[in-house]
Structure formats: C-alpha cells, structure tokens
Amino acid sequence: MSLDQPEPIFVGGTVGQSVAKTDSLEKVQGRAEYIADLYRPGMLHGAILASPHAHARIRGYDLSEAMQAPGVVAIITGDDVGEGRMGAFIKDEHAIAKGKVLYVGEPVAAVAARTEEEARHACRLIKVDYEELPAVLSPEEGLARDAPILHEHLAEYIKVFDAGSDGNLCSRTELSEGDVDAAWADCDVIVEGEYTTQPQAHVSMEPCGALAEVDAAGRVTLWSANQSVFRVQANVCESLGLPMSRLRSLTPRVGAGFGNKMEPHIQPITVALAMKAMRPVKLILSREEDFEMVRARHPYRVRMKTGAKSDGTLVARECEVLVECGAFADDSPGVMGYSLLMCGGPYRIPHMKASGKLVYTNKLRFGAFRGFGNPQVLFAGEQQIDQIGEKLGLDPFTIRRRNLLRRGDQWFVGPRIGSNGLGRCLDAVEQAAKGARADGSPRNFGLAVTAHISGLLGTGAIVRMLEDGTISLNTGATDIGQGSDTVLAQICAEELKLPFDQVAVASPDTDGSPYNWGTTASRVTYTTGRAVKAAAKKVVDQAMDHAAEILDCDVADLELREGGRIGRHGSNTDVTFAQISGRAHWAAGGPLVGSETLVFDEPTHDPKRAIALGLPFPRIGVFSFAALGVDVDVDDTSGQVSVHEAWSAADVGRAINPRLVEVQLHGGFVQGLGYSLYEEMVWDGARLANPSLMDYKVPTARDVPDAIHTFIIEDPDPTGPFGAKGAGEIGLNAAPGAIANAVARATGARHAHLPLTGERVLAGMLDPGALQD
Amino acid sequence: MMVKKVLHSLTLNGEEVQVATAAGATLLQTLREDLRILSSKRGCNQGVCGACTVLVDGTPVRACLTLTARCEGHAVQTMEGMDGDRVMATLQRHMVQSGGVQCGFCTGGVLISARDLLEADPTPSREAVKTALSGNICRCTGYRTIVDAVCGAAEELSQ
Amino acid sequence: MTEVLSPLTVDDAIALLVEHDEAMPLAGGATLIAMRNASLVEPSHLVSLDRIAELRGIDRTADGTIRIGAMTRHCDTAACAELTGSLHVLRRAAGMIANRVVRNMGTMGGAVANADPAADYLPALACCDATLEIAGPEGRRSLSIHDYVDDWYETALGEGEIITAIMLPAPVEAPSAYRKIARVSGDYATASCAMALDPDGQGLRVAIGACGPGPLRDRAGEDALRGKLHDPAALAEFAGRLVALADPVDDVRGSAEYRLRLIPRLVASVLSELAPQKETA
Ligand SMILES: Cc1cc2nc3c(=O)[nH]c(=O)nc-3n(C[C@H](O)[C@H](O)[C@H](O)COP(=O)(O)OP(=O)(O)OC[C@H]3O[C@@H](n4cnc5c(N)ncnc54)[C@H](O)[C@@H]3O)c2cc1C
Ligand code: FES
Ligand code: FES
C-alpha cells in the first residue's frame, strides 16, 4: 500500500458519522475478490446452453458429441435434477429446464470443462429435441380463453399465500377500503388514465456467477454472487432435493444486486454440475446471459383514477394493474401485492380500491428490482396528483401538503405510520429549488413524493467479545456494496461505545451466521440493525455483571464509558473490556456472546378497516419517506430530456452513516433516471432484442446532472436502531413521476408510457393536446 | 476445438513475463486466467463497461478488446502494478473518503481512466471529469461521489 | 482458436488474407474483437495491421490534400490540428465516437470498413467528399466515399482488399459541424448530421447518418439550395428531399418514423449553429 499520506481511515466512527466503508481500501486497490476471482484446486469451468424457443416440450437430449469434446468432464440436463421446485411465493421452478422450456434463454443444459471456452464450445454440440408449442408473449394473451398454458400443474404447486392461481393467472390481489364506487359522486375533479411501464434490466456491473465444491462426504460448499446466502441455500436445496444441512452457502464480495441476486440464478445449476463432475465448478455468466437468464423489472399496465374535492382534498382512488410475470413467479406476487399497497402514495385517501392480476408469459422471469413495484404505480399516481393540482390551481407542493398522511395515521389496508418526515422533505425541496436557474432562466420543475417500507421477515445478530475486548459481529447479511457491514459495525460500536475499528464483521456463512432473509427491501439497516443493537446490549449487560463482580459493587452503580471501559459513577477507576473478556474466557462465566433474532411482526392488514384478498406480505415494515424535485431540459431538435438539477430529500429516521445514505440517494436517482428516460428491454417476438450493453443503455457520467442535491431528514423511528429506517429504494421510486411531471411542465404534454424517450417527448411536443399513446 | 497455447513475452507491471495463453486470447483472458491478475474485471466483454480497462504502453485500453498477441513486447500495467504511483494513491484515497466506491466492480477501471485524465489535464473541470469517465459505467454511485473524488484528488495534486 | 498474424507490409497482409479462407484484417479490434467475443464471427486468422508503417499517420501533401492512414486512431483524428474549417466536421465526429478509451483503440480504416450505418465517420467523410485508398490482390485503387456503401453492411470492398488510407480535399475556410442524436453519451447515433458551409456562406454540404444503409447526401438538392439557406421554404424542400432519400429501420435506438422526423430538425439545428440567422429589421 502506497497511499503517500497514510491516513487512519477508521477512526472512532460511530452513529451519525460518515466513516469510510470497511471494504473501500481493498476495492480501490483492486484486491477485493468477487465470485469470478475465486479459484479452487482442480476447478472446472461451467457454461450453459440456453433455450432457443419460448415454449417447447423437451423430447430428449443427445449429449454424445458434446461429451467427446475436448476438456469436457460433466454435462447436466433436466434429467439430472429431481422433481423439486423452488420459488419465493409459488414453488414453480426447477433447477434447470425439465420437460419443458418456458422462455428463450432458459438454461436447458450445462457443461463443466477444463476451460470456459471448452465448456462454451461443448454446449453448442449438445442436441436437444424440442416440440415447439405456441407461446404467450403478453399478459393479455395469457388471459385469453384459448391461451396455451405454461404451468399445467400450477394447481398442485406449493404456494405460501392465497394466490388464486388459475390457468396462466399466477396470482391476483384485491384490496379495498371505504366505498370507492359511491365516492366518485363526492368528487369535484376526477382524473383518469391508463399507463404502461417497460421492463428494466438491473445491470449490476458484476454479472451473476457461482462456484460449487463437494467434499469427500458429499456435502456442498457454494460461493455465489448473492443478496442472501440463506435464500441461496433454501432455493438450491429445494430444487435439488438436498437437506439444507448438506449445503453451506457463502459469499465473496458482490458487485451489486438491486434485486437480481436475491432469489436464485445459476446456483442450483452450478451445484448440480459440481455434484456430477465431483470437482469444483465455477460458472460465470456473460453479460448477454445475465440479461437473458436472470430477471428484470416488471412491465406494468396501470389503470388509475383519482378524485378530489375542489379544495384539493383527495377523496378516492382506484388502481388496477396487469403485471407480466414471465415464466416463473419468483418475487412477482410480492411485487404486485406491494405495488397495490403503495398505489395510494403517502396520502390520506379515504376511499381506495386496488386490484391486480399477475400473468405468466413465455419470457424471462420478472422479479425484485429496487423499488419493488412502487415506481410503476407512482408514475401514474404522482402525475394524477399534479393534474388535479393543475385543474384546481394548486401548485405541486400545496396539493401534496394538503393530503399527506401523518404520524399515527394508518396506511392503506392498515399498517400504522410511525415517524414521518415527509412534510420536512417537501420543505427542503421547495426551499432549495425555488426561483430560477443560476442564469435566470425559468425551471422546468417536476415533483413527486414517495414512501417505502423497511422491515420484512427474519433476521439475527451474534456479537462476540474477543479475548482482548474487541468485537466480532456476525449477522449473515450480505453487503452487496452499499455498506451494510459498515453501518452494522457502526451500530454495534455505538452500543458498546467502542471505536468503530474494533468491530470486525464476519462474512455471511450459513454454517456460522444467524439467519438473515436478505439484503433487499431496504431492510438491513433497520431490521438487522435492531438485532445488532439488541445483541450488543446483551454483551454490555454481561460485561456489566463481570465489572460489578470485579469492582465489587452493584451494576446500578456502573457506567459504560467510551473506548470499552466500565467504571463506577463518580470514580476514575474502571475495568477494560480486555480485562472483563479475559476473565470471562479463562476464569468466570464463559466468553461474552450476545445474540438476538427477530422477525418483523406487525400485521399489514387491519380487517376492521379494509378488505384484503391474496395479500402476499402479511407483515411489512416501517415507512421511510422522500420527496424528489427535478428540473429538466428538453432538446428542441430531438425531444430528448436531460435532468439539469435534482433535489432528493429523504426521511430515513436517522442516518447512521450520512454519506452512505447520500450515495443511496444519488445511485437510486440515477438508476431511476435511466428507467425514466431510455432504459428498456425490447423483445423482438420471443427473443430479447437488446441483451448487451451496446444496445441496452444505462446512464453514463455525462448523462446525469452534476447537481443532485440530497437532504437527509431525520424523524427517528421509535423501533429503529438509533431511530434508523431504510434508505435503499426510496431514492429511485419517485424518479419517473417527478420527471414526467417536469416534462409536462416543459412541453405541455402528459405522458402515459415509460420510458420518456426523445421519440415520445418529441411526439408530445408536436401534439401536446392528448395524453400520449 | 483443441486449445492451442501460444507463448508471449510482455512486460507486466514492470516485470518481464512469458505467458502461455490460448491462441487469439484477449488480454483480459490472459491476465485473469493465465496470470491471475484479477483487478481487471469482465463486466461485458464488449468494450462498453470499462471494468477491464488497463494501460498498454501507458495508454488506457479495453483489455477485453485487446489481443494478447498484440501486446508482445509491450508494457501492460494493471492496478496491481500501481503501488508507488502518486496520482493513483491520491485518487484512491479520495475515492475512499468520498464514498465513490460502492460495490467496487467498476472502481479499478474508473481509477485508471481518472489517472489518465489527470496526467493529461491536472486541473480538469467537473465537466471534463465526467467526459473522461463516460466510458466507465457505474451502476451504484450515480457518479456524483466519483466526480467529487477525482476533482478532490486533482486539487490536492496540483497544490 | 484464432491465429494472429502480424505482417509488415500491405502486400504481405493481402497475401495472408488471400491465403487463409477465413482470415480477417484486424485494425483496432474495437468492433471485431467484440464481435468475436460474442461469437458473431469466428475468424481462423486475424491479420493484424498494426505493424504496417504505410497505414499510419496523418499527412498533408503538397497540394494540401490530407491523407489519413487507415490505422489512425480516433483519438488522433479528434486531436488533429490539420482538420480545420471544412474538415473540422471530421474532427468533431471522431471526438464523439464512444468514449476516450475506445477512441484510443478504434481506427478510421476499421470504422470505415465496418460501415455500421449508425457510426459517425461515414456521414462526416461523405460531407468532406473523401476518397478511399484501397489495396487488394488486383492492385491499388481509389474510390469516392459516395460510391462506397452498397447496402446494409455491404460495401464496395472486395475479397482480400483493405483500406489503406482516407484522402480528404484540402480544407477551406468555412465552418463545419457534426451533430449526433444518441440515447446516451457514447452510444451509436439514432440519427446524425454532418454539415459544412461553402466558403461564401451561400451554400452547404450535408450528410445524414443512421437513416439508411449509408450516409444520405443530395448534391443536386444542395445546388438548388445555394443562396437560399435562410429561405424556410427552400430549406424545407431540401430537407424533404433528404427525407425522401432515407430508408431508416426500426431498432432499439428509435423507430424509422422518429428518424424521418429528425432529419429536417437536425438540418435546421446544425445550420443555425453554423450560420445563425442575422436579426435584420
Ligand atoms: C463501446 C464501443 C462504442 C462505440 N461507439 C461508437 C460510436 O459511437 N460511433 C462510431 O462510429 N463507432 C463506435 N464504435 C465503433 C468504433 O469506432 C470502432 O473502432 C470501429 O467501428 C472499428 O474500428 P477498429 O479499428 O476497431 O476496427 P476492427 O474492429 O479491428 O475491425 C472492424 C472491421 O473492419 C475490418 N477492417 C479493419 N481494418 C480494415 C482495413 N483497413 N481494411 C479493410 N477492412 C478492415 C475488420 O476485418 C472488421 O471486419 C464503438 C465501439 C465500441 C467498442
Ligand atoms: S469488460 Fe471490457 S469494457 Fe466491459
Ligand atoms: S461501485 Fe458498483 S458499479 Fe460502480
């Protein structure tokens, strides 16, 4: 290391300080190891043969030529995996295509060979005998009376909620509150529209990959790029029929996730290959395969109607969504259910009705992606709020303020709102964005607000005090680059009053880490942070007991001091964690370990208030809030939109590490900007037409505004660790709504279809009258 | 398809190396598979993402689009060989401090492009930094903190 | 497996291309290696042109003509001080290709040979009335850029032929510019426009990119427009002729309809940059 001015990087950072991420140094030096960087003795390389058909029955395989190809050690197909099926909500997916293929790009066979080139070459020599079937390429087609059926045995699949599956209908959800049908009569203004949103690719810069190894006793060790070692373990074991105790799941550094590494990708295939080859196998997807085989954000068709009184008070909203699922359910029922929960936005709307249908199609599975269904419905909802404001002569801030949900209110169908800094978010954006641009020209301003939950499901933490008084923290939460290791260490250090650099964070390991559902749904800081704080508190309590014995006094007389010391009130003498831990390890009581597990258990649905059918998340979480303002430019020649300046204010309860919150807001906004303006996966018939970074474009440094102002609003949540709530998704959600509102301001045209490409915006400029089709 | 290996001599991070690599291999393949130089990442293998960017004779190029055969007799430099480089060390420190490193997959390529810019233009404007980095895709940061880091490093170095 | 060959002369390169059936010339590799990585091409041999001295450098000949060696990288073209006035358009186009690192790799010869309809050099070269120097098994020849593109990705280059240089007429004092509409920075063009004014400011040359197999150029239309650059009706008629010449496709960068819409708008936009209309009472 030759940093010419070596500066201590981890000095005494605790809660509220922007300490550098613990993994930054190895990453800037190029030393961080990602899945593709791992090698094992005798390791083979895997490659996948993808289906050329959208829907076909597999009649048989001819592997003879491929088996003879140079370097080939093992080949697997659907014949090598049992009947097991995996899936987060509906267990509908085999480890690899078995009996049928359901989309172009679906893995049909996989080869392990000495080199990646040999494995890829051998894949091309595999012959598969297909009987082509008619394909379903849109949800509308899927619901048609005579539609070909993707999952003939859907009725028999295991489902974890009341999905209402039928034919190609994967699931349906219906929520209602108040009496919408009667309420329209009370409305002075009503706006209505039908909106569509496009599929977006995650494009984590690291493509998905896995490395599996089988030991002499047949137990599997699996490293993979993932957002949850535990979901990987569950999925692989379910699909391959392995007892979970027979598989250990680990993670190296992960080159970001955004949702596409949460549920399985190629881990089950890699394990099956390693088991067959009896050698370690590493399988790394190409970028094209990553586009074609993993998952993407759902395209939505949203019908929305909103009504208000003449003073701007919202009265009713109805929202109906038709969601394309792709070939497998994956997280889709959750995404759709969540989007319906969120479709009212953070407003008091007494009469609400939301319903959705999720339909299987012969395409890549759609699944979780930062925002989880929220951006799609918000694109419609936040435009309608502006339209109502326009009709009533209320500016975007006023119409929103008039209707905000407050602390203590209940969200649609029931969850109680705790802390809520949305009003302050709006103030921050309004204050900063008011007036004209620096050069005096007027702004093309657009606003949108959003809420998002953090919570969801089980989590745990183990805090161990080492013999010298420093700490090992183990949570099982995968840090996918956003810095959760750092934030959790900060929470732990704060509770123990230790310098931040005395907390080491263990890498997730299903053999040794407590359960963690996953790094997803903006949940780690909030949920895992709670567990960490509680576990650390237990270690403090144990240390206090030791100190009381050493100092021969009552625990009540003791205080925890900075730097890992415990002493009596009003006295200078104290004992150090090292003394206490030494005593505990060698003499009395046993090593200090605090552990805590919890599951977010507040019910989502209040049956006294609302009707809910097919709700996939019975318990969700606490609410974070955000307001986003953008000022856009529209190019006269091309219609292309660029964001000149953006203001993103988020109530995250308490920013454990403000810099990391800011980067979440920056990164989320820019991913939302790409989604709003040009990112779109395009299918040419059944085949993805742009599965490469050459054809699928994401924003570069030149395509984003330099001025992305962030405002961290802190309204501490009583249940959050030091008040913290989630920050991971809230920065993206509002982007399409805010940008669409700004484009309407700039061009006079409202847009109902994402993305807002130059082509669409130009068409709107030339004919601003109509809602663009 | 038999794997035919070819022997090439090149300078890697200041040292003469002879490497047997598949005929027609890209520099990215040779670096990673044969030389275990892992800082150069395969993000796309198409020249778009920039994660594989390395220096050949001091000029940044895409390792995924460069043939190893073309590097015969030339000097290849990767992040592993940047120890002692003052500009790089300053950039690295600013990246750590600014939060410009998130998942880190893009970071090596970003830093090599940034260093090249500062060699050519020690006091770049923010616009110039964004232009120079426009061939390095980062999906995590939204670029803001990366640009901050490069500008911060430039300011420190030019003092 | 691809074998890489590195001849030192143009003649040797051509001999190697003739000798090996599935050999391809390799210039910067920015397109060819990317295509090979994606298994879109599987050449048995790559004939690397990087050691051939004749293909390098930008020179100005005695009569002012500029010769750009085929292996000249985009970064060198983008920085070339000889490309002034009417040739500035080429410099601008070079500077808009991809990004800094790819510009360190790609070459003009490779880009012209590749003849991607959405790429930047062809419209700029068409606007400059460039000539290609070509060498092949049958000897050497020159070819006007206007006769170069035959169809989508099809050019007048024959088997075993390589481009050795791009010749440009001596620059004249007249503004020229290049504008590219692309989804994001560094993307290929959705549509582009290369334009140079006549030295007297009365006429223009214009080439449109990405709206057909090759660049669109209407020299008769340009003649008709002379002296009427600021006459909206004449300009609209001229743009209409370009639109009529266009044969765009729908692709992930935009629809054919959008491209047709962009042509007149691009012409107007670049013209107003080069010849801002004077406020006359
Ligand atoms: C990420 C990325 C973005 C890009 N963006 C753009 C862009 O915005 N605009 C743009 O215009 N281009 C763009 N390109 C293409 C780039 O300009 C390439 O450099 C160019 O198309 C090919 O040039 P090359 O020297 O690399 O040729 P190579 O890739 O080596 O060769 C290309 C083809 O031409 C043949 N060939 C090469 N040289 C000769 C010759 N002298 N005679 C005959 N045949 C020859 C080869 O056999 C091959 O078929 C991009 C490329 C990449 C990787
Ligand atoms: S891997 Fe080389 S540019 Fe993406
Ligand atoms: S830090 Fe993840 S891609 Fe840049």
Side-chain angles (χ1 to χ4, degrees):
Chain A
M1 181 61 205
S2 64
L3 300 192
D4 53 352
Q5 283 182 334
E7 251 176 61
I9 288 168
F10 320 121
V11 273
T14 40
V15 163
Q17 291 192 31
S18 293
V19 295
K21 280 183 335 117
T22 51
D23 55 2
S24 308
L25 209 49
E26 61 174 46
K27 286 176 174 173
V28 295
Q29 293 176 6
R31 292 173 198 237
E33 289 191 329
Y34 302 82
I35 186 67
D37 303 331
L38 302 188
Y39 289 81
R40 299 292 297 166
M43 187 181 86
L44 303 170
H45 295 262
I48 292 178
L49 174 69
S51 165
H53 300 297
H55 196 187
R57 214 167 290 290
I58 299 172
R59 283 197 290 233
Y61 310 90
D62 176 358
L63 308 180
S64 51
E65 200 183 335
M67 269 318 290
Q68 298 307 313
V72 172
V73 177
I75 302 180
I76 62 146
T77 66
D79 290 347
D80 294 279
V81 300
E83 291 301 323
R85 290 180 186 267
M86 58 189 168
F89 291 89
I90 298 177
K91 304 208 181 293
D92 60 1
E93 189 168 353
H94 288 300
I96 190 164
K98 188 175 172 69
K100 281 215 309 190
V101 288
L102 293 178
Y103 65 94
V104 174
E106 182 176 1
V108 206
V111 176
R114 275 178 319 198
T115 67
E116 184 180 343
E117 289 62 46
E118 286 172 332
R120 288 185 179 279
H121 175 251
C123 276
R124 279 179 263 155
L125 304 176
I126 295 173
K127 295 189 188 72
V128 184
D129 182 14
Y130 294 103
E131 176 195 337
E132 268 197 79
L133 300 170
V136 169
L137 296 177
S138 71
E140 291 84 355
E141 278 175 47
L143 291 178
R145 196 179 296 280
D146 304 322
I149 299 295
L150 276 80
H151 294 272
E152 289 96 344
H153 304 291
L154 178 57
E156 295 143 40
Y157 293 168
I158 299 168
K159 306 179 186 71
V160 306
F161 76 112
D162 163 29
S165 315
D166 180 23
N168 288 321
L169 181 71
C170 175
S171 71
R172 55 81 189 93
T173 302
E174 289 168 22
L175 313 173
S176 71
E177 207 174 88
D179 184 350
V180 168
D181 295 332
W184 300 121
D186 293 340
C187 297
D188 300 314
V189 290
I190 292 176
V191 290
E192 207 168 347
E194 186 170 317
Y195 305 79
T196 60
T197 66
Q198 82 284 22
Q200 182 186 22
H202 297 74
V203 195
S204 313
M205 288 320 298
E206 175 200 34
C208 290
L211 194 174
E213 175 171 294
V214 184
D215 72 11
R219 189 165 189 263
V220 181
T221 302
L222 171 63
W223 295 261
S224 68
N226 66 73
Q227 296 177 226
S228 167
V229 291
F230 295 92
R231 288 301 301 153
V232 169
Q233 183 188 41
N235 283 310
V236 172
C237 292
E238 278 175 8
S239 63
L240 296 179
L242 282 174
M244 285 169 80
S245 57
R246 305 289 293 162
L247 183 133
R248 177 183 182 198
S249 167
L250 298 160
T251 189
R253 292 292 178 212
V254 179
F258 312 117
N260 68 332
K261 292 171 181 164
M262 178 64 190
E263 291 296 322
H265 41 84
I266 52 169
Q267 294 100 338
I269 294 173
T270 313
V271 170
L273 268 180
M275 290 173 77
K276 188 145 183 193
M278 285 312 290
R279 303 248 306 258
V281 177
K282 177 164 81 175
L283 206 171
I284 307 294
L285 293 184
S286 70
R287 173 59 60 189
E288 291 73 15
E289 291 167 336
D290 197 71
F291 270 105
E292 286 172 334
M293 288 178 187
V294 186
R295 55 180 59 75
R297 188 191 298 283
H298 299 84
Y300 265 57
R301 179 177 295 280
V302 180
R303 248 201 295 276
M304 194 178 274
K305 181 173 174 183
T306 309
K309 291 279 195 201
S310 57
D311 66 354
T313 312
L314 295 172
V315 176
R317 172 168 286 177
E318 190 171 341
C319 173
E320 194 186 317
V321 299
L322 183 62
V323 181
E324 181 163 2
C325 182
F328 301 107
D330 201 56
D331 271 327
S332 299
V335 171
M336 182 177 75
Y338 181 70
S339 64
L340 295 177
L341 279 176
M342 304 313 281
C343 75
Y347 303 113
R348 287 176 171 162
I349 310 180
H351 305 282
M352 287 274 302
K353 187 152 115 188
S355 63
K357 289 192 170 118
L358 174 70
V359 186
Y360 284 120
T361 57
N362 290 110
K363 286 196 199 149
L364 169 74
R365 67 178 84 63
F366 296 100
F369 191 157
R370 194 184 214 169
F372 212 74
N374 211 343
Q376 288 97 322
V377 290
L378 248 160
F379 170 62
E382 282 300 277
Q383 290 203 75
Q384 294 201 339
I385 297 296
D386 260 33
Q387 286 171 288
I388 289 174
E390 282 159 16
K391 282 180 198 274
L392 298 175
L394 298 171
D395 72 73
F397 288 96
T398 306
I399 175 92
R400 286 177 174 78
R401 283 205 182 94
R402 193 149 294 176
N403 291 288
L404 291 187
L405 282 164
R406 308 282 159 175
R407 176 190 283 264
D409 283 353
Q410 276 176 287
W411 189 272
F412 182 36
V413 315
R416 182 80 57 190
I417 292 167
S419 72
N420 180 349
L422 182 52
R424 283 160 61 199
C425 292
L426 279 171
D427 295 346
V429 171
E430 185 173 36
Q431 187 62 31
K434 75 166 179 255
R437 292 185 183 177
D439 66 2
S441 58
R443 295 193 186 283
N444 297 312
F445 182 79
L447 178 70
V449 298
T450 176
H452 209 84
I453 57 101
S454 45
L456 279 180
L457 305 177
T459 202
I462 301 171
V463 175
R464 286 192 300 129
M465 191 177 283
L466 305 175
E467 286 162 72
D468 64 353
T470 61
I471 297 294
S472 166
L473 171 65
N474 192 351
T475 68
T478 301
D479 187 335
I480 56 175
Q482 87 285 26
S484 58
D485 282 356
T486 306
V487 164
L488 296 176
Q490 285 180 268
I491 290 171
C492 186
E494 179 82 36
E495 189 68 18
L496 287 155
K497 295 207 177 163
L498 276 177
F500 168 68
D501 64 353
Q502 294 191 13
V503 179
V505 181
S507 184
D509 177 347
T510 54
D511 274 3
S513 301
Y515 182 79
N516 194 301
W517 176 56
T519 301
T520 188
S522 309
R523 67 187 286 278
V524 175
T525 299
Y526 172 73
T527 319
T528 310
R530 282 171 66 179
V532 169
K533 188 166 184 291
K537 174 75 168 55
K538 289 180 183 172
V539 170
V540 172
D541 291 346
Q542 293 166 25
M544 286 285 195
D545 290 341
H546 279 274
E549 285 171 26
I550 296 169
L551 296 172
D552 194 17
C553 65
D554 212 67
V555 169
D557 296 334
L558 293 175
E559 63 188 13
L560 178 64
R561 293 178 185 158
E562 293 288 337
R565 311 179 87 83
I566 297 177
R568 283 170 95 143
H569 296 295
S571 140
N572 283 336
T573 50
D574 51 21
V575 289
T576 64
F577 279 2
Q579 286 169 298
I580 290 170
S581 195
R583 179 176 189 262
H585 275 80
W586 304 108
L592 271 52
V593 178
S595 74
E596 174 76 2
T597 67
L598 56 90
V599 62
F600 188 88
D601 56 7
E602 303 228 351
T604 307
H605 178 211
D606 176 354
K608 290 202 288 290
R609 188 181 169 91
I611 299 168
L613 182 71
L615 188 65
F617 289 121
R619 292 160 286 274
I620 48 171
V622 298
F623 292 83
S624 298
F625 296 90
L628 175 70
V630 294
D631 175 10
V632 303
D633 283 315
V634 180
D635 179 59
D636 279 342
T637 305
S638 64
Q640 287 177 311
V641 177
S642 54
V643 177
H644 176 79
E645 201 162 352
W647 302 265
S648 178
D651 164 26
V652 297
R654 178 84 185 269
I656 305 290
N657 185 318
R659 175 59 48 79
L660 293 181
V661 172
E662 281 167 12
V663 180
Q664 282 304 308
L665 297 180
H666 295 155
F669 172 69
V670 167
Q671 207 165 32
L673 178 150
Y675 177 53
S676 306
L677 298 181
Y678 31 76
E679 289 185 37
E680 176 165 22
M681 296 169 83
V682 178
W683 270 265
D684 180 6
R687 183 173 293 276
L688 188 57
N690 56 347
S692 78
L693 289 177
M694 203 62 112
D695 291 325
Y696 183 97
K697 284 296 169 191
V698 301
T700 77
R702 290 186 77 184
D703 302 302
V704 304
D706 201 36
I708 306 177
H709 312 281
T710 53
F711 306 88
I712 296 175
I713 305 297
E714 297 186 312
D715 191 7
D717 192 276
T719 61
F722 302 103
K725 309 185 278 193
E729 295 166 273
I730 195 108
L732 185 149
N733 288 344
I739 291 174
N741 282 335
V743 168
R745 173 78 67 99
T747 64
R750 281 274 157 204
H751 286 271
H753 306 290
L754 279 182
L756 303 176
T757 55
E759 176 158 7
R760 287 204 169 105
V761 174
L762 181 61
M765 286 156 67
L766 300 176
D767 180 16
L771 192 71
Q772 288 303 308
D773 288 315
Chain B
M1 185 192 82
M2 268 321 287
V3 182
K4 184 177 156 201
K5 292 232 169 182
V6 188
L7 202 62
H8 293 292
S9 317
L10 47 94
T11 311
L12 175 63
N13 294 327
E15 277 175 41
E16 293 291 321
V17 296
Q18 290 225 325
V19 57
T21 193
T26 62
L27 182 58
L28 182 64
Q29 276 173 301
T30 306
L31 287 173
R32 294 187 58 86
E33 296 298 328
D34 302 309
L35 294 162
R36 293 291 150 80
I37 289 286
L38 300 172
S39 66
S40 180
K41 304 293 186 202
R42 187 177 88 187
C44 68
N45 222 21
Q46 292 283 302
V48 190
C49 75
C52 67
T53 307
V54 298
L55 301 177
V56 174
D57 296 337
T59 301
V61 298
R62 301 295 203 224
C64 68
L65 299 182
T66 303
L67 291 186
T68 307
R70 281 266 190 103
C71 298
E72 180 82 46
H74 292 272
V76 176
Q77 217 181 338
T78 68
M79 192 59 90
E80 284 83 350
M82 295 282 176
D83 275 14
D85 183 284
R86 197 170 97 88
V87 176
M88 184 55 88
T90 309
L91 280 164
Q92 286 171 327
R93 190 154 26 74
H94 280 267
M95 279 286 274
V96 169
Q97 287 161 356
S98 75
V101 189
Q102 293 288 300
C103 81
F105 204 77
C106 70
T107 306
V110 164
L111 285 169
I112 288 182
S113 294
R115 179 182 170 280
D116 182 57
L117 170 71
L118 296 192
E119 300 268 289
D121 177 3
T123 55
S125 65
R126 290 184 74 88
E127 260 332 287
V129 172
K130 287 166 74 173
T131 301
L133 296 182
S134 68
N136 294 89
I137 298 176
C138 176
R139 193 62 156 165
C140 298
T141 61
Y143 304 104
R144 168 64 199 277
T145 46
I146 294 178
V147 178
D148 289 348
V150 177
C151 292
E155 200 170 309
E156 183 184 324
L157 285 163
S158 62
Q159 268 161 17
Chain C
M1 288 298 95
T2 322
E3 220 160 312
V4 185
L5 308 166
S6 298
L8 298 176
T9 65
V10 169
D11 289 350
D12 287 353
I14 290 164
L16 289 168
L17 287 169
V18 171
E19 181 186 337
H20 301 287
D21 263 1
E22 283 167 50
M24 294 176 83
L26 174 69
T31 297
L32 184 48
I33 302 302
M35 287 173 71
R36 203 201 49 167
N37 289 350
S39 302
L40 298 175
V41 292
E42 289 177 355
S44 62
H45 294 78
L46 288 173
V47 178
S48 176
L49 307 179
D50 67 326
R51 304 210 170 162
I52 304 176
E54 186 193 329
L55 303 183
R56 280 189 228 131
I58 304 182
D59 306 293
R60 184 194 271 268
T61 56
D63 64 352
T65 310
I66 289 178
R67 177 187 184 279
I68 301 183
M71 287 298 282
T72 304
R73 298 173 308 162
H74 308 329
C75 58
D76 297 322
T77 304
C80 177
E82 306 278 358
L83 300 176
T84 56
S86 55
L87 300 184
H88 186 69
V89 55
L90 188 60
R91 225 179 128 169
R92 285 272 293 266
M96 283 186 210
I97 295 174
N99 56 66
R100 203 174 154 96
V101 179
V102 170
R103 291 196 293 271
N104 289 336
M105 304 186 72
T107 67
M108 194 178 295
V112 172
N114 195 50
D116 190 313
D120 295 301
Y121 277 140
L122 287 180
L125 291 172
C127 176
C128 298
D129 293 316
T131 306
L132 305 179
E133 297 285 307
I134 295 168
E138 316 292 319
R140 305 236 173 186
R141 62 182 176 127
S142 297
L143 182 73
S144 159
I145 193 77
H146 307 302
D147 301 327
Y148 174 63
V149 177
D150 290 340
D151 207 338
W152 297 96
Y153 293 96
E154 274 178 36
T155 69
L157 274 188
E159 285 287 313
E161 281 193 320
I162 62 171
I163 297 169
T164 56
I166 294 92
M167 307 296 292
L168 304 169
V172 294
E173 283 269 338
S176 66
Y178 184 71
R179 177 155 188 208
K180 163 173 169 178
I181 307 290
R183 291 171 298 175
V184 298
S185 168
D187 190 12
Y188 280 89
T190 307
S192 67
C193 174
M195 186 183 289
L197 289 196
D198 292 346
D200 62 4
Q202 293 302 304
L204 51 59
R205 281 166 294 144
V206 111
I208 299 290
C211 292
L216 312 177
R217 179 92 196 262
D218 178 2
R219 280 174 285 176
E222 290 166 10
D223 291 343
L225 189 63
R226 252 197 81 78
K228 294 184 245 169
L229 286 190
H230 295 299
D231 169 353
L235 199 60
E237 193 195 324
F238 173 68
R241 292 174 61 133
L242 287 172
V243 169
L245 280 179
D247 177 21
V249 291
D250 294 327
D251 65 17
V252 293
R253 297 188 202 106
S255 70
E257 191 191 342
Y258 181 49
R259 291 185 160 96
L260 294 178
R261 234 174 207 181
L262 285 177
I263 293 171
R265 304 178 79 83
L266 268 170
V267 171
S269 145
V270 182
L271 182 60
S272 71
E273 178 190 335
L274 290 183
Q277 215 158 354
K278 302 209 177 58
E279 295 287 326
T280 44

